Each structure stands twice: as C-alpha cells, then as structure tokens.
Amino acid sequence: MIKGFCDVGDLVEASKVWNLMVDEGFQPDIDAVEKMMETHFKINRYDEALKLFQMTRTMRIDDLGLSTYRLVIDWMCKRDKTAQAYLMFEEMHERGIQVDNLTLASLIYGLLVRGRVREAYRVVGGIERLDISVYHVLIKGLLRLRRASEATQVFREMIKKGCEPTMHTYIMSLQGHLGKRGRKGTVTLMNFETIFVGGLVKAGKSLEVTKYVERRYRKGLEVPRFDYNNFLHYYSNEEGVVMFEEVAKKLREVGSVDLAEIFERYGLRMAMSDRR
C-alpha cells in the first residue's frame, strides 16, 4: 500500500499507512523505505528523504544494500552534494558492498554537469569494465557542456570496445549535435527550419508554407519540435540505410564529420539488421 500511494504521489496516505504499521509493531521493508525516500526526492523534499535514510541507517544499517545507497548517491549528485556522495562510497566499501557501474554513473554525471570533467574522467579511469550506463552518462554530460566532438569520441570508443549503441545513444547524440543550433543552423543540411519548409513545398502545400512564414515573422513562431525517436524508427529499413549513407556523405562534405559518423553508424546498424 505504501508503494501504491507513493506511485500516485500521495505521501500523506503513504505516511498514514507507514505510521499505522509502526504503531502495530510492524517494520516497513527496505523496498517501502526506498519508495518513500524516492518520492520525497522527486517532490523536492530532499531533507525529508535524507532524514528517513539516516533513521534507517542508524536503526537498521544491516538492512541497507546497494539499491538504497545507489538511490541516495544518485540524488546527492543531482543536488551537487558530491562530498556527501563520496562518504557514502566509503561507507559501502567499509561494509563490503560492491559499487556497481550504475552508482558510479550517477557520480560521473553529477561531476560533469558541474564542469568537473577531469574528476569525472578519474572516476571513469578507475572502473574495471565500462558498460553502456557509464558511456551514456559520459556522452550526456559532455553534450550538456557543449563538448559535442568529445562526446562523439566517447561514442567511437564505446563501439571500439564492443559496446553496441542503443537507440537511446543515437537519439541523445543527435539531440546534442542538432539541438538549438541545428534548428536554426546556417548549414542547410542541419537546419530543421529549411527542411520543414522545403518538405511542405515538395508536398505541394504552398498555403501551409505561406501561413508558417507569416506566423514565423509576426509572432516568432518556431519550426515544430523535431522528433528524433520517430525519425530513426521511421527510417529503420532498407530505404533508411541508403538515406543515412547519403546524409553522412553530404555532412562530411560540409565538414560535419562527427555528425556524419553517427548517421553512418546508424545506417550500418540497419544494414546489418536487414542481413539477419
């Protein structure tokens, strides 16, 4: 019941059930504790979540495992409490709890978004076996710092190490390269506004083009948000293989090597999928 109320964001009812259990002499299990903490974190009641963690830590530390520490460390890093997060890592080590890559990924991303790139790379360097969770936070963090070229180098490295990019990897990478700059970029191939208007013209929708241009200049209307997810799924076929190869070729011609490589790799993935 506690988890159910937390799922719908009703902490009042969840707390009532919690108190009733305690009054009746029952002890909420760790799953319920984590759910309460997570809900507090999500609604920006950070101190309340930590208070619950500290209480559980004091009274039932033997019940705390990897999942609880991971949850706390993740939110500490989101709140720029990396010093506290490091203390949690030390406690895990002292208690013999093996830190997994997902937990380290939270720390890496927390460091990156605050510009502590060298420190983030030091953490990465200490990981014995990198996996998709670590590569993803590296790419995401570097893109957020507008270091798209460096993020693409990580993309290359993960492939070289045999870690296959997922659809999320491609979407994240394209968003990083084609974000606001892409929507109004000077290069036609990467300017969504040009593509949008050009598409309407090719479809013979001149009236829609006129309306869009009028609204664009009178009210500052922007081109509709580009849906990377639908775009990649729509072209995940033989037609897409050819299209991605052609796009990659043209992007290289205008000097967008990093972006070209992402499209090229996705086209290769589709080609290999078709052969299977």
Side-chain angles (χ1 to χ4, degrees), residues 54-205:
Q54 295 294 1
M55 182 181 70
T56 308
R57 188 165 164 239
T58 301
M59 301 174 64
R60 304 166 54 188
I61 192 167
D62 290 339
D63 292 338
L64 298 183
L66 174 61
S67 60
T68 312
Y69 282 107
R70 182 194 297 144
L71 173 65
V72 173
I73 288 171
D74 183 41
W75 282 93
M76 282 179 171
C77 292
K78 287 177 180 177
R79 295 290 294 264
D80 196 20
K81 307 288 185 181
T82 49
Q84 293 180 14
Y86 277 122
L87 290 176
M88 291 297 99
F89 280 115
E90 288 180 15
E91 184 172 301
M92 290 175 71
H93 178 71
E94 290 171 2
R95 294 189 56 219
I97 299 174
Q98 186 68 38
V99 179
D100 66 347
N101 282 6
L102 274 176
T103 311
L104 289 169
S106 295
L107 176 61
I108 293 165
Y109 185 68
L111 292 170
L112 283 173
V113 296
R114 285 162 184 85
R116 296 161 67 176
V117 180
R118 288 186 180 179
E119 194 174 344
Y121 274 120
R122 278 200 297 271
V123 175
V124 173
I127 300 175
E128 186 176 341
R129 188 171 183 177
L130 302 183
D131 61 15
I132 193 75
S133 64
V134 178
Y135 284 120
H136 271 185
V137 294
L138 270 174
I139 292 172
K140 184 179 179 181
L142 290 169
L143 289 174
R144 183 163 173 173
L145 292 174
R146 301 183 185 278
R147 297 169 74 154
S149 182
E150 196 171 339
T152 307
Q153 187 55 43
V154 173
F155 175 81
R156 296 186 185 102
E157 186 66 21
M158 69 181 287
I159 294 170
K160 183 179 177 182
K161 295 290 185 180
C163 187
E164 186 63 29
T166 64
M167 182 66 81
H168 178 61
T169 317
Y170 288 104
I171 292 171
M172 180 170 55
S173 298
L174 290 176
Q175 285 176 333
H177 281 278
L178 295 171
K180 293 180 180 179
R181 184 177 69 85
R183 290 176 68 172
K184 293 185 179 181
T186 54
V187 179
T188 305
L189 282 170
M190 297 189 295
N191 188 316
F192 291 168
E193 189 162 58
T194 304
I195 294 169
F196 177 66
V197 173
L200 290 175
V201 172
K202 286 183 179 179
K205 298 183 178 182

